[in-house]
Amino acid sequence: MSKKDSDRIGKYLEQQNRPYSVNDIFMNLHKEIGKTALQKAMDLLVSEGSVREKVYGKQKVYVYNQAQFPPLDQEELKKMDAQINDLTTSLHQAEKEALEMDSRLRALNSSLTTEEVNKKIAELEEEIPKLQKKLKNLEENQVMVSKEEREVTTKQMKQMVVQWRKRRRCANDMLDGIMEGYPHSKKKLIEEIGLETDEEVGAVMPVI
């Protein structure tokens, strides 16, 4: 065992300032010092008083002698406690914001894409005038149909209107989500993504 090894081990225990067994130190120092030499160094440090030895059954644990550290500054401790409280508060706030962002992300991921919304809207806009015309003809009795066919047609129109409302609400929700980080107006966003609104195509939702 060399004096250099002993000094190195003592410095390591001072820097870490936590209890270790000989095997812990052996592994932490990447086996650069043999266990026999390491044990002799620990015995020397204990005899010098720079390291304290604690025995737990058959296990010996070594820790740097706390008496060698300068006395704690109570004012500094209070400042550190205040900093810990501030950091804890900031951490909780960050965790809360992260959960909110994660929730919003999941909501957006589960929604239709802009391309899918546009496709659905186009399909509905194409289907609705046909149903409106058919309904009008039925209401004016221009086409003779059975009661059953009229009920089926009316039911289909109502289903289409429900889907129309659902898709429009979905599109608006997506736009509102994008608008939170978009620097311009909603009108500008709609123009940029090429989204056609009901008003632009003259589509009027029936009252059901």
Side-chain angles (χ1 to χ4, degrees):
M1 179 199 68
S2 66
K3 176 64 174 169
K4 182 178 179 181
D5 289 341
S6 178
D7 292 341
R8 179 185 177 187
I9 295 168
K11 190 66 176 177
Y12 174 77
L13 289 174
E14 178 183 2
Q15 292 172 343
Q16 300 301 314
N17 195 29
R18 56 173 296 180
Y20 287 115
S21 67
V22 169
N23 190 61
D24 291 333
I25 300 172
F26 175 69
M27 299 301 295
N28 293 346
L29 296 181
H30 310 293
K31 304 179 183 179
E32 295 174 0
I33 303 175
K35 284 190 176 181
T36 301
L38 184 58
Q39 184 62 65
K40 289 181 179 180
M42 298 307 302
D43 293 340
L44 175 61
L45 292 170
V46 170
S47 66
E48 292 175 347
S50 59
V51 171
R52 301 291 299 275
E53 178 186 85
K54 296 288 185 179
V55 180
Y56 299 96
K58 296 181 179 180
Q59 180 76 21
K60 290 184 178 181
V61 176
Y62 301 89
V63 65
Y64 191 74
N65 190 344
Q66 303 298 295
Q68 297 176 103
F69 288 115
L72 297 175
D73 186 333
Q74 295 301 317
E75 289 300 320
E76 188 65 24
L77 285 176
K78 290 180 181 179
K79 291 180 181 179
M80 292 176 67
D81 287 339
Q83 289 177 346
I84 291 172
N85 290 335
D86 291 341
L87 290 172
T88 301
T89 300
S90 299
L91 176 60
H92 290 163
Q93 182 63 31
E95 290 174 342
K96 181 181 178 182
E97 293 175 357
L99 289 173
E100 291 174 353
M101 293 297 292
D102 184 62
S103 178
R104 287 173 52 192
L105 179 61
R106 286 198 301 270
L108 289 174
N109 286 338
S110 64
S111 302
L112 295 176
T113 64
T114 302
E115 182 179 353
E116 291 171 335
V117 170
N118 287 337
K119 182 179 179 181
K120 265 304 182 188
I121 290 175
E123 292 174 355
L124 291 171
E125 288 174 347
E126 183 179 347
E127 188 69 20
I128 287 171
K130 298 177 182 178
L131 293 173
Q132 286 178 324
K133 182 178 179 180
K134 187 173 182 179
L135 178 62
K136 183 178 179 182
N137 291 335
L138 290 171
E139 290 175 343
E140 294 176 355
N141 292 322
Q142 293 181 5
V143 180
M144 298 301 294
V145 295
S146 65
K147 179 181 178 181
E148 290 76 15
E149 186 178 354
R150 182 185 179 92
E151 290 176 351
V152 169
T153 302
T154 302
K155 182 178 179 181
Q156 289 177 342
M157 188 206 68
K158 289 181 179 180
Q159 290 175 342
M160 288 295 179
V161 172
V162 169
Q163 288 298 317
W164 185 356
R165 287 176 177 167
K166 181 179 179 181
R167 300 302 178 185
R168 186 168 67 178
R169 183 170 60 252
C170 179
N172 285 329
D173 289 344
M174 289 184 65
L175 289 172
D176 291 340
I178 297 172
M179 281 299 298
E180 293 185 12
Y182 186 71
H184 304 295
S185 65
K186 190 173 185 178
K187 182 178 179 181
K188 179 70 174 176
L189 174 61
I190 292 174
E191 291 176 355
E192 286 191 2
I193 63 179
L195 182 64
E196 292 184 340
T197 63
D198 294 342
E199 291 76 11
E200 289 178 349
V201 298
V204 180
M205 184 179 297
V207 179
I208 58 174

